[in-house]
Amino acid sequence: MTVAKVWKLLRQPVGRPTPENFICVEEQLPPCDDGDVITEAEYLSVDPYMRYKIRQIPLNSTMVGSQVARVTESKNPQWPVGSLMVHYQGWRTHTHLSSKFLQTKDNNVSPLPDMGNLPKSLGIGVIGMPGITAYFGFLEICQPKAGETVLVNGAAGAVGSIVVQIAKMKGCKVIAFAGSDEKVAWVKELGADYAFNYKTTNIGEALSQAAPENINCYFDNVGGQFSAEVLPHLADLCRVSVCGAISTYNDDSKDIGAVSLTSPFSEATLIWKQLRVEGFLCYRWNDRWTEGLKQLQHWVLEGKIKYKETVFHGFDKMPSAFIGLFDGENIGKAVVKL
């Protein structure tokens, strides 16, 4: 029998999560019957959206998330022992995937693309869900045109750093904000025309300097006060892609379904500037997922997309790696290596 270590939600966080919100337990997995597979995690993802998902899952549930996993036991010819997959069974070292589950549509189980000499961890990074989020969320919603001005916040993160580079490939002027001087330096290396540390810069003054002609595309990972300060600097007919709102994730008043009058997007400005503001989930483009992965991998291999990973070693680091996202500890994608 295989024994898995599993991180579960012990109690709901109040504000910023702490290690005391999580507990690690052991679970004995069911036997591997006909059509089943058992996997062992090699890399696990931590992402800001998990803070929001915590509000939706019951206590004592397995923490949500994706992982790159290797098949260690199989009675399924589609998944031989040793094959690699990406699945979303959460913060666990070992996983039992039943025949019934594997036959379910939209089970979010997929083969890891052939990475060649690239790190396998990219399957939960630039050549995975974060990459797809940047690729479709920017290109499909913002529809950038050469010569336009693009603003990206959270620009040193897993998604924002990719958007910066795609925008430059499309011939745009890019203004980027990140949370430390080290991150700003890296974003400049990625090609941003202007990069600012939002913690030490007046956002409005920086945008007046960098974009006197105003902003045509705004890719928003932060929300809240940052977006409120950006709003006056958006051009008429600006396209706003709302990917995330990490500045609000630890605010418990932002619960799902709660009535709130604190949106940074003023109705008057939306109307008079004729802005198009659209939120999205990357799974909207499930039918084009492979297309996106192939293009992203091609750009990585060509050197057109650069990446960084912040790697934490050991399954015991899952909570601290996750919590560190809200302290800005990561540059690029944060992953936990087992």
Side-chain angles (χ1 to χ4, degrees):
M1 292 290 185
T2 302
V3 175
K5 291 183 178 179
V6 184
W7 279 105
K8 297 197 171 190
L9 180 64
L10 181 62
R11 55 179 65 91
Q12 283 288 344
V14 177
R16 177 182 175 278
T18 68
E20 291 72 30
N21 295 124
F22 310 98
I23 187 171
C24 189
V25 301
E26 291 190 348
E27 288 183 356
Q28 184 170 293
L29 300 187
C32 188
D33 292 329
D34 286 344
D36 298 353
V37 301
I38 291 175
T39 69
E40 181 175 6
E42 294 199 357
Y43 293 93
L44 295 107
S45 180
V46 288
D47 301 281
Y49 80 85
M50 295 173 180
R51 176 63 182 91
Y52 206 70
K53 292 290 288 185
I54 283 175
R55 301 174 188 172
Q56 299 175 287
I57 64 175
L59 297 181
N60 297 311
S61 295
T62 301
M63 275 294 296
V64 298
S66 61
Q67 59 175 256
V68 174
R70 183 178 298 276
V71 176
T72 56
E73 189 174 350
S74 176
K75 292 186 178 178
N76 187 317
Q78 292 183 328
W79 295 102
V81 170
S83 58
L84 292 163
M85 65 168 66
V86 176
H87 67 64
Y88 286 77
Q89 297 305 298
W91 295 9
R92 48 189 310 124
T93 59
H94 298 78
T95 303
H96 175 269
L97 300 172
S98 70
S99 174
K100 181 179 179 181
F101 174 77
L102 290 171
Q103 293 174 35
T104 303
K105 185 181 179 182
D106 300 327
N107 59 25
N108 287 327
V109 176
S110 59
L112 181 73
D114 182 1
M115 293 293 179
N117 293 324
L118 296 171
K120 294 191 289 292
S121 54
L122 299 192
I124 49 175
V126 62
I127 310 175
M129 184 270 286
I132 291 290
T133 299
Y135 182 80
F136 288 113
F138 178 56
L139 293 176
E140 293 293 315
I141 294 177
C142 288
Q143 298 181 3
K145 302 174 184 65
E148 290 190 320
T149 298
V150 174
L151 172 61
V152 185
N153 56 21
V159 175
S161 60
I162 301 170
V163 174
V164 167
Q165 296 174 86
I166 295 176
K168 290 306 298 178
M169 279 189 265
K170 296 300 177 182
C172 298
K173 181 173 92 171
V174 177
I175 303 167
F177 283 83
S180 72
D181 291 344
E182 180 186 8
K183 292 179 179 181
V184 165
W186 184 54
V187 172
K188 287 180 178 177
E189 287 181 28
L190 299 181
D193 298 277
Y194 295 88
F196 302 99
N197 182 342
Y198 74 88
K199 294 179 180 177
T200 58
T201 303
N202 181 293
I203 294 168
E205 291 178 3
L207 292 178
S208 294
Q209 167 199 334
E213 74 287 357
N214 287 339
I215 294 152
N216 307 108
C217 304
Y218 174 30
F219 194 92
D220 186 13
N221 292 299
V222 176
Q225 183 63 32
F226 189 103
S227 288
E229 295 185 39
V230 164
L231 202 60
H233 299 272
L234 301 182
D236 290 355
L237 304 177
C238 176
R239 290 85 71 196
V240 182
S241 180
V242 183
C243 176
I246 192 172
S247 69
T248 71
Y249 288 167
N250 290 324
D251 181 352
D252 294 308
S253 69
K254 302 287 187 183
D255 207 350
I256 296 171
V259 176
S260 172
L261 297 178
T262 59
S263 169
F265 296 105
S266 154
E267 293 92 338
T269 307
L270 287 173
I271 293 166
W272 288 109
K273 287 181 177 281
Q274 302 181 74
L275 306 180
R276 192 182 77 195
V277 180
E278 185 172 347
F280 72 95
L281 296 173
C282 62
Y283 303 109
R284 181 193 305 186
W285 296 283
N286 266 351
D287 61 335
R288 299 176 61 191
W289 200 272
T290 300
E291 168 201 333
L293 293 182
K294 286 182 177 178
Q295 181 61 76
L296 289 160
Q297 186 171 20
H298 183 64
W299 281 336
V300 171
L301 291 171
E302 284 187 318
K304 291 181 177 178
I305 286 185
K306 299 175 184 177
Y307 63 88
K308 281 191 178 183
E309 294 181 304
T310 301
V311 181
F312 300 85
H313 293 269
F315 189 65
D316 60 311
K317 297 296 195 303
M318 290 300 299
S320 59
F322 171 60
I323 294 166
L325 295 173
F326 303 98
D327 298 324
E329 290 182 0
N330 64 299
I331 299 182
K333 182 73 185 78
V335 297
V336 177
K337 185 180 188 300
L338 268 63

